[in-house]
Amino acid sequence: DTAVSQTPKYLVTQMGNDKSIKCEQNLGHDTMYWYKQDSKKFLKIMFSYNNKELIINETVPNRFSPKSPDKAHLNLHINSLELGDSAVYFCASSQDLGQGSNYGYTFGSGTRLTVV
Amino acid sequence: GESVGLHLPTLSVQEGDNSIINCAYSNSASDYFIWYKQESGKGPQFIIDIRSNMDKRQGQRVTVLLNKTVKHLSLQIAATQPGDSAVYFCAENKGFGEETSGSRLTFGEGTQLTVNP
């Protein structure tokens, strides 16, 4: 079973459209994240949710709206898509209460968004 | 602002050689560091981590060294194989072990490792 799964894997859409990317984790982690990876491979955090509560909200346009219906899901909705939104978006999860030896994140396989 | 960065964007090695990937960080408050490997078309994958109270940690064919004096982190891969070709990221975090939510993992820019047969 995939630990962190996100859909779709590829998304091609026109400027101005609204689209959503879904993410689910079956690891029982409390915290989930969305990261954006640009064409130079730089990974930048966008949002973080802990038990459905927004914890981190970086300087991201308000066209991006995360939704967490439960702690196993964190979806990303993007309104009025722009060319600059083209990137790979990664969902991740972590158990960050100091328990266990792996304090790192488990990432999904990414969603490549192309806005044309 | 404070960030984690890498010295070299690309590294090319011969199969069987040892590889060393370097990372410099500037946040002296960081107490936990992780190396990730990202293969083409996949998400970053955990390789090895180290806490700030350690200066060396070994895994299977990989070793991470931490020099807090100069804020330097390195990943050593022994007997590099073609399957090791990927982008490698170091990442930092703060507050390891604290019961706080909202940890922020900050990534460096990545080093593309190419292993030549």
Side-chain angles (χ1 to χ4, degrees):
Chain A
D1 286 342
T2 304
V4 180
S5 60
Q6 48 183 114
T7 55
K9 188 170 177 64
Y10 300 97
L11 183 55
V12 181
T13 188
Q14 290 185 328
M15 286 175 55
N17 284 348
D18 303 337
K19 291 293 180 184
S20 293
I21 307 172
K22 296 184 177 181
C23 180
E24 175 182 6
Q25 55 97 1
N26 62 6
L27 298 168
H29 287 169
D30 291 331
T31 306
M32 296 185 71
Y33 311 82
W34 278 108
Y35 274 79
K36 180 180 180 180
Q37 187 172 46
D38 61 24
S39 58
K40 297 181 180 179
K41 299 289 189 181
F42 187 68
L43 276 160
K44 184 174 174 59
I45 191 168
M46 300 173 68
F47 301 103
S48 167
Y49 268 73
N50 179 269
N51 276 317
K52 303 191 296 177
E53 180 183 349
L54 180 64
I55 300 297
I56 295 173
N57 185 347
E58 288 297 289
T59 307
V60 176
N62 57 15
R63 298 181 294 103
F64 290 78
S65 54
K67 295 283 193 304
S68 183
D70 55 63
K71 78 170 194 177
H73 296 83
L74 181 62
N75 304 323
L76 183 65
H77 188 76
I78 315 170
N79 290 326
S80 303
L81 279 155
E82 301 177 356
L83 293 176
D85 297 332
S86 295
V88 182
Y89 292 84
F90 286 99
C91 177
S93 70
S94 73
Q95 187 67 23
D96 59 352
L97 297 182
Q99 300 168 6
S101 60
N102 185 354
Y103 201 63
Y105 296 3
T106 301
F107 283 84
S109 58
T111 296
R112 181 174 293 278
L113 171 65
T114 303
V115 183
V116 297
Chain B
E2 295 177 305
S3 63
V4 180
L6 294 168
H7 292 307
L8 291 173
T10 62
L11 176 65
S12 184
V13 300
Q14 291 298 122
E15 182 177 357
D17 287 352
N18 296 332
S19 302
I20 300 177
I21 302 172
N22 294 307
C23 177
Y25 66 96
S26 57
N27 189 347
S28 57
S30 294
D31 58 5
Y32 182 67
F33 304 88
I34 310 170
W35 280 100
Y36 282 90
K37 172 186 180 183
Q38 185 178 17
E39 296 175 279
S40 180
K42 297 183 179 179
Q45 182 180 17
F46 175 94
I47 302 174
I48 191 168
D49 59 357
I50 189 167
R51 295 173 62 180
S52 57
N53 62 352
M54 305 169 66
D55 54 20
K56 180 179 180 179
R57 192 166 188 216
Q58 287 184 295
Q60 186 177 10
R61 284 202 304 119
V62 294
T63 300
V64 55
L65 299 177
L66 175 63
N67 186 330
K68 293 181 291 293
T69 303
V70 295
K71 300 194 192 76
H72 185 268
L73 193 69
S74 69
L75 176 70
Q76 300 178 359
I77 305 173
T80 315
Q81 303 168 359
D84 295 327
S85 293
V87 178
Y88 289 81
F89 295 93
C90 67
E92 62 161 340
N93 206 342
K94 294 182 292 185
F96 183 92
E98 298 173 7
E99 290 195 6
T100 56
S101 60
S103 67
R104 183 188 302 260
L105 201 62
T106 302
F107 285 82
E109 294 180 357
T111 294
Q112 173 70 60
L113 174 66
T114 302
V115 182
N116 302 310

